[in-house]
Amino acid sequence: MPGRNFLFVPGPTNIPERIRRAMDVPLEDHRRSDYPSITLPLFEDLKKVFRTRTGKVFIFPSSGTGGWEAAITNTLSPGDKVLQARFGQFSLLWADLCVRLGLDTQIEDVEWGEGVPLDRYRAILAADKSHAIKAVLVTHNETATGVTSDVHGVRRILDDLKHPALLYVDGVSSIGCLDFRMEEWGVDLAVAGSQKGFMLPTGLGIVGVSQKALEARKTAQMRRCYFDFDDQLRMNEGGWFPYTPAMTLIHGLRESLNMLFEEGLENVYARHHRYAEATRRAVAAWGLKLCARDPACYSDTVSAILVPEGFDSTAVVNTAYQRYNLSLGLGLNKVAGKVFRIGHLGDLNELMILSAIAGTEMVLRDVGIMVDAGSGTAAAQEYLRATHPASQGAEGLRKTA
Ligand SMILES: *Cc1c(COP(=O)(O)O)cnc(C)c1O
């Protein structure tokens, strides 16, 4: 098929040419004497992305799911009580991981389309006078439903109640794209993966750990070996790893961090917001609705869009791929057939986001959802023009010309 695939699933995301080239290197000796000159600055720079000064960031050769397991097994003991709200496929899977690892998992079911239920968390934690709950989990950005939760709000509740539970955050589809402040929000364990905001191939689980969580590992009795923080701590100190690191990805990570810092994290967040908002304008112009209920929780990295009653969102995704080589995200689990997703995270610019919107618009009509041709594209175009960082200047130029 001529042309290229348009990748708009919410991870894996597009790998920038710069990162691809940075990874096109021969394999090397990971014990060579100057290897730490690559790794030591990486650990420091990752802390800037996680926004922690006092914490540590570990790099595991795994996907994000391995990061979940690392966070849990290093800091808890068998039978410990953990609290997790389930409102999408990713919060569901993290809760399931806790159950399967033998934790006493209190799962709070929430409508898919809503976020972490602050009031319920407060009531549950307030009632937990004996501090039986050791871990409070929050899926910051639920990638299945396009909902971003209030992590800072959960921290405030813990602080108000003087509850000592550790705060665990799944930031796989948020860290590096959305405002995330590990230290300011008092996050104890923060999990990211390489194939979303970091614009890399799958293969790194990146875990931020607070000093409090590092302390907790000393008494945590869960079995762990491959993901043991102790081994990482000891070896990372000198710039080494306890086993062969994913060296190719580490070169990519260096370039990824260079790109994020060159753009500036605040600008990265602002860009994600603009593309998300452009997508939402298109959805509104089509007369469709998002799965996310409350505008305050709309995700800036992924939009899950409901198809009207009687239509199958799987047909939207399959048709997009088969006819136009456009990859959209399927609806997962409870929302299978009901939503399709446009991932708008990572290495994107205006015309790329418009390609996804234009393609989606064609597909919707192809499957019989007769949105007005051009309506979503026009709404997004005008929003992107009006909010372009240079648009003020452009208006000025035209006036004086
Ligand atoms: C993608 C994703 C994961 C899973 O990560 P894998 O790299 O597929 O293991 C976990 N949580 C969220 C929020 C995600 O978006």
Side-chain angles (χ1 to χ4, degrees):
M1 202 190 283
R4 66 170 177 81
N5 175 247
F6 284 75
L7 183 64
F8 283 90
V9 293
T13 65
N14 297 286
I15 307 179
E17 188 67 26
R18 266 177 75 176
I19 294 184
R20 297 221 311 252
R21 291 212 185 127
M23 292 188 298
D24 185 9
V25 287
L27 279 182
E28 61 209 304
D29 175 11
H30 62 292
R31 302 191 201 282
R32 62 175 219 249
S33 60
D34 59 353
Y35 196 58
S37 68
I38 298 177
T39 52
L40 289 174
L42 269 188
F43 293 125
E44 284 311 304
D45 286 344
L46 279 171
K47 285 164 62 174
K48 294 180 196 153
V49 177
F50 280 65
R51 302 213 156 167
T52 177
R53 277 174 298 109
T54 58
K56 289 262 178 219
V57 180
F58 298 124
I59 306 170
F60 294 101
S62 82
S63 77
T65 303
W68 283 347
E69 182 156 334
I72 296 290
T73 56
N74 277 281
T75 51
L76 294 168
S77 298
D80 272 354
K81 186 156 186 184
V82 313
L83 173 63
Q84 164 74 322
R86 182 162 64 183
F87 44 75
Q89 182 66 0
F90 294 94
S91 44
L92 176 151
L93 287 173
W94 204 11
D96 184 55
L97 178 139
C98 292
V99 172
R100 286 162 67 176
L101 289 174
L103 295 166
D104 174 7
T105 311
Q106 177 167 353
I107 299 173
E108 288 299 305
D109 272 307
V110 176
E111 274 306 307
W112 288 33
E114 292 175 14
V116 68
L118 291 179
D119 290 347
R120 273 154 75 183
Y121 268 31
R122 181 182 286 279
I124 292 163
L125 290 162
D128 179 36
K129 301 276 185 243
S130 65
H131 297 161
I133 296 171
K134 302 298 177 204
V136 176
L137 275 51
V138 181
T139 300
H140 184 204
N141 188 74
E142 175 50 80
T143 318
T145 58
V147 166
T148 304
S149 280
D150 181 4
V151 174
H152 199 191
V154 177
R155 166 46 63 198
R156 286 197 203 96
I157 291 169
L158 287 165
D159 287 353
D160 283 355
L161 299 170
K162 300 197 168 42
H163 196 295
L166 294 170
L167 177 57
Y168 297 62
V169 176
D170 174 353
V172 177
S173 63
S174 59
I175 294 173
C177 329
L178 306 184
D179 189 14
F180 181 81
R181 310 179 192 198
M182 182 168 165
E183 192 137 321
E184 190 181 321
W185 298 348
V187 175
D188 293 299
L189 291 124
V191 179
S194 49
Q195 78 275 21
K196 303 199 181 168
F198 287 99
M199 309 170 283
L200 291 162
T202 318
L204 298 179
I206 309 173
V207 184
V209 187
S210 72
Q211 285 300 329
K212 186 176 165 193
L214 284 174
E215 220 27 61
R217 92 185 189 286
K218 295 177 183 163
T219 50
Q221 297 296 315
M222 287 183 83
R223 301 251 171 140
R224 52 190 181 265
C225 171
Y226 188 76
F227 289 116
D228 202 321
F229 289 167
D230 273 334
D231 299 331
Q232 295 288 339
L233 263 181
R234 201 174 54 248
M235 297 301 288
N236 289 176
E237 186 75 15
W240 316 104
F241 293 92
Y243 34 69
T244 320
M247 285 177 286
T248 313
L249 295 177
I250 296 245
H251 284 293
L253 180 59
R254 177 66 273 158
E255 196 61 20
S256 158
L257 293 170
N258 292 348
M259 289 180 73
L260 290 173
F261 296 150
E262 278 167 30
E263 185 175 357
L265 286 175
E266 296 298 336
N267 295 329
V268 171
Y269 306 152
R271 178 167 55 81
H272 279 84
H273 177 72
R274 276 183 73 231
Y275 298 167
E277 186 56 31
T279 307
R280 293 190 283 260
R281 298 281 171 117
V283 172
W286 293 330
L288 298 183
K289 291 209 156 31
L290 293 172
C291 180
R293 302 278 167 83
D294 174 3
C297 72
Y298 286 167
S299 166
D300 281 346
T301 56
V302 52
S303 293
I305 299 155
L306 290 159
V307 293
E309 278 299 321
F311 290 93
D312 179 6
S313 66
T314 304
V316 173
V317 174
N318 289 340
T319 306
Y321 182 64
Q322 289 157 7
R323 290 202 186 167
Y324 306 117
N325 209 357
L326 168 65
S327 295
L328 301 172
L330 282 165
L332 302 173
N333 199 332
K334 264 196 198 181
V335 289
K338 295 186 181 147
V339 311
F340 67 91
R341 295 172 298 153
I342 300 179
H344 29 74
L345 71 166
D347 185 45
L348 295 174
N349 63 22
E350 279 90 352
L351 297 189
M352 288 167 86
I353 200 73
L354 285 171
S355 74
I357 293 167
T360 302
E361 196 162 80
M362 290 160 76
V363 172
L364 288 171
R365 292 172 59 84
D366 290 347
V367 302
I369 302 171
M370 298 312 277
V371 301
D372 288 339
S375 57
T377 319
Q381 285 169 334
E382 288 306 291
Y383 173 79
L384 289 169
R385 287 183 61 243
T387 57
H388 192 281
S391 72
Q392 295 296 66
E395 292 296 321
L397 272 182
R398 195 162 342 121
K399 275 183 208 126
T400 52

